[in-house]
Amino acid sequence: MSDESRPSPAAAPPGTPVAAVIPAAGRGVRLGPGAPKALRTLNGTPMLIHAVRAMAASRAVSLVVVVAPPDGAAEVKSLLDAHALPERTDFLVVPGGESRQESVRLGLAALPPGHDIVLVHDAARPLVPVDTVDAVIEAVRDGAGAVVPALPLADTVKQVEPAAAPGGAEPVVATPDRSLLRAVQTPQGFDRATLERAHRTVTDDVTDDASMVEQLGERVVAVPGHEEAFKVTRPLDLVLAEAVLARRRLNDGF
Ligand code: CTP
Ligand code: MG
């Protein structure tokens, strides 16, 4: 049977070890000047450490692979050493690549055998709650090749003809039915063999891993995402993230 025509994965047994790959190699151009985005701090702790803790908070996750900025692997290693992390979890750091896709591929290449479920989680989503992580893992265990956490959209969405120059007026072409659309977050969860095959096969530029699995024709399912799993992209998102942390601290105090 050819590599491309394999049947969908069977449900993974309950104890299947889970690894999380955290692409953290981006610059964060939209956040403005400063350190690489994953190293910027939220309430004094680097975003990356928040994201690592969010993955390690799941008891199912036994390995976290951090994909560091290409020249920042040593710095990321010492950050991991300097922060308290769960004893039951192993950590690896590898240098990343030019694109998110390449960074994820480098993270996957570093995975030792035995972790047959893989999460891919943006370092830029530092505050995802553990219940969302566990819901994604559960859906992979139930037999989906790929699982995405997703939320309904708040805004109406328009399709336009993009303007030649930024800031120009853009003709509106269509208004897709919002009730059929979802905004997709991470961690996205995968049957490892399916994700590895997607990264070997799909060479188009994509912004998430699940779309590569879609291109293989495999079943991808969405489970409920969480508003706290938003991506820190622009400066206002830093304000929101610190507000979420402050609210958590308050709630923990009572
Ligand atoms: N990422 C990566 N390697 C790259 C580019 C992005 O590992 N070459 C990671 C980022 O570090 C981030 C995640 O992919 O955790 C999502 O990307 P995004 O939010 O776009 O982050 P950046 O690419 O860093 O931001 P920007 O696009 O504003 O430069
Ligand atoms: Mg980017």
Side-chain angles (χ1 to χ4, degrees):
M1 188 187 301
S2 87
D3 203 27
E4 268 54 63
S5 60
R6 231 184 263 149
S8 292
T16 308
V18 179
V21 173
I22 303 185
R27 267 236 46 91
V29 171
R30 289 169 289 179
L31 206 50
K37 180 158 73 178
L39 304 181
R40 303 273 286 256
T41 58
L42 297 174
N43 280 8
T45 302
M47 208 179 301
L48 171 65
I49 297 296
H50 287 285
V52 166
R53 284 182 175 150
M55 294 301 103
S58 168
R59 302 199 68 84
V61 173
S62 51
L63 171 67
V64 175
V65 178
V66 178
V67 187
D71 54 359
E75 187 180 349
V76 166
K77 273 192 192 113
S78 49
L79 274 180
L80 292 178
D81 290 340
H83 289 84
L85 298 167
E87 294 271 326
R88 63 168 185 272
T89 318
D90 291 329
F91 299 93
L92 282 174
V93 179
V94 297
E98 279 297 309
S99 64
R100 182 185 182 282
Q101 213 169 348
E102 194 188 341
S103 293
V104 172
R105 194 169 47 71
L106 291 165
L108 280 177
L111 284 181
H115 294 85
D116 289 337
I117 294 178
V118 177
L119 303 178
V120 180
H121 181 61
D122 294 331
R125 297 181 189 272
L127 304 181
V128 59
V130 68
D131 288 353
T132 306
V133 181
D134 285 334
V136 168
I137 293 169
E138 199 55 42
V140 180
R141 286 195 168 140
D142 285 347
V147 178
V148 296
L151 288 178
L153 301 184
D155 295 318
T156 296
V157 173
K158 302 284 183 194
Q159 185 182 338
V160 299
E161 264 166 37
E170 303 180 312
V172 170
V173 179
T175 305
D177 179 357
R178 190 175 72 188
S179 69
L180 301 177
L181 300 176
R182 299 288 181 268
V184 168
Q185 305 176 319
T186 73
Q188 299 188 349
F190 302 89
D191 164 67
R192 176 177 175 172
T194 303
L195 181 61
E196 287 177 337
R197 189 155 54 95
H199 273 267
R200 278 199 307 273
T201 313
V202 178
T203 51
D204 302 359
D205 228 6
V206 295
T207 54
D208 78 342
D209 300 278
S211 60
M212 304 172 80
V213 174
E214 289 163 47
Q215 288 192 43
L216 297 182
E218 295 281 354
R219 195 168 74 97
V220 177
V221 300
V223 298
H226 196 285
E227 60 178 358
E228 292 182 1
F230 68 94
K231 186 152 70 81
V232 174
T233 305
R234 296 179 189 84
L236 189 60
D237 299 321
L238 291 172
V239 179
L240 180 60
E242 293 201 323
V244 170
L245 287 171
R247 182 175 70 177
R248 282 185 189 174
R249 203 167 285 178
L250 263 181
N251 289 343
D252 288 351
F254 290 99

